[in-house]
Amino acid sequence: MAIEEKEEIGNVSPLATAGLILFILLLFAGIFITVFGFPGTFVILTDVIIYSWITGFEEIGLAIILILVVITLAAESVDFYLGMKGAKKYTPSRTAVFASLAGGIVGAIVMTRILLGLGTVIGIFLGGFSGVLIVEFMEERKLKPAFRASYGALSGRIAGVLTRGFSAIVMTVIAMSKIYS
C-alpha cells in the first residue's frame, strides 16, 4: 500500500502541485492581511471557490463553500456592528476617524522599523489610538473625552481584527481539512 501511495504522489503534475501551493499560500495570505484590517475572509472565500471550480468541486463541494460564505458574511457583519457600536458609544468626530487611519499608517511605518512584523501590528493599533487622541483633545480641549474616543477606536479595531482573524483561521482549517482528509 505504501508503494501505491508513492506512485500516486509521484504522478501529480507540476502544474497541479504549483496550483495547490498557490492555493495554500493564498489561504495564509488571507489570514495575514486580516491583521491589517483588510477583508482576508473574502480572499479566502474567493480562493476556495476558484480552487473548487478548477478541481471540479471534487475535494471541496458546494456545501463547504456555502458554510464558508456564511462564516465570511457573519465575520464581516460582526466586525461592522462592533465598529458602529464603538463609534456610537464613544462618538469620535469625523476628523478623528481620518486621524485614526492616518495614525495607523504612520504608526505601522514607524514601528515596523523598530520591531519588524510585530511592530507593524502594534503600530497600527497605537497609531490609530494616538491619532484619535490628538484630534479629539485638540477639538474638545478635555483629556477624558479624548481618551474615551481613543479607547472606542482601539477597542473596535481590536474586536474586529480578532473576529475576522478567528474566522479566517476557521475557514482555512475547514478548507485544508477537506483537501487533506
Side-chain angles (χ1 to χ4, degrees):
M1 186 165 197
I3 295 172
E4 292 174 6
E5 288 180 49
K6 287 182 181 178
E7 288 178 8
E8 284 181 19
I9 293 172
N11 289 334
V12 176
S13 73
L15 185 61
T17 303
L20 183 62
I21 290 170
L22 181 63
F23 170 71
I24 293 170
L25 287 175
L26 283 173
L27 287 177
F28 287 107
I31 294 171
F32 181 72
I33 67 171
T34 300
V35 173
F36 300 105
F38 296 109
T41 54
F42 284 115
V43 171
I44 293 170
L45 179 63
T46 304
D47 186 31
V48 168
I49 290 170
I50 292 170
Y51 179 83
S52 298
W53 179 66
I54 289 172
T55 60
F57 298 95
E58 290 178 11
E59 295 172 348
I60 300 175
L62 292 175
I64 296 299
I65 291 174
L66 183 61
I67 290 169
L68 296 180
V69 166
V70 169
I71 292 171
T72 299
L73 293 176
E76 297 298 327
S77 298
V78 167
D79 178 38
F80 180 75
Y81 171 75
L82 291 174
M84 290 297 107
K85 186 176 178 184
K88 184 178 179 185
K89 186 174 182 180
Y90 297 105
T91 59
S93 67
R94 177 173 280 165
T95 309
V97 172
F98 289 116
S100 173
L101 178 63
I105 292 169
V106 170
I109 292 169
V110 170
M111 293 300 287
T112 299
R113 293 175 184 229
I114 298 169
L115 299 173
L116 301 175
L118 182 61
T120 305
V121 176
I122 293 170
I124 287 172
F125 290 115
L126 289 180
F129 179 85
S130 301
V132 173
L133 180 66
I134 291 168
V135 168
E136 285 293 321
F137 181 72
M138 290 173 69
E139 288 178 358
E140 299 275 335
R141 296 287 183 209
K142 295 179 183 175
L143 202 53
K144 190 172 183 177
F147 268 116
R148 282 189 179 161
S150 298
Y151 173 75
L154 181 65
S155 62
R157 184 170 284 178
I158 289 173
V161 166
L162 290 176
T163 301
R164 284 189 296 137
F166 178 73
S167 299
I169 290 170
V170 167
M171 292 172 68
T172 300
V173 168
I174 290 171
M176 295 295 285
S177 67
K178 291 308 286 182
I179 291 174
Y180 288 108
S181 63

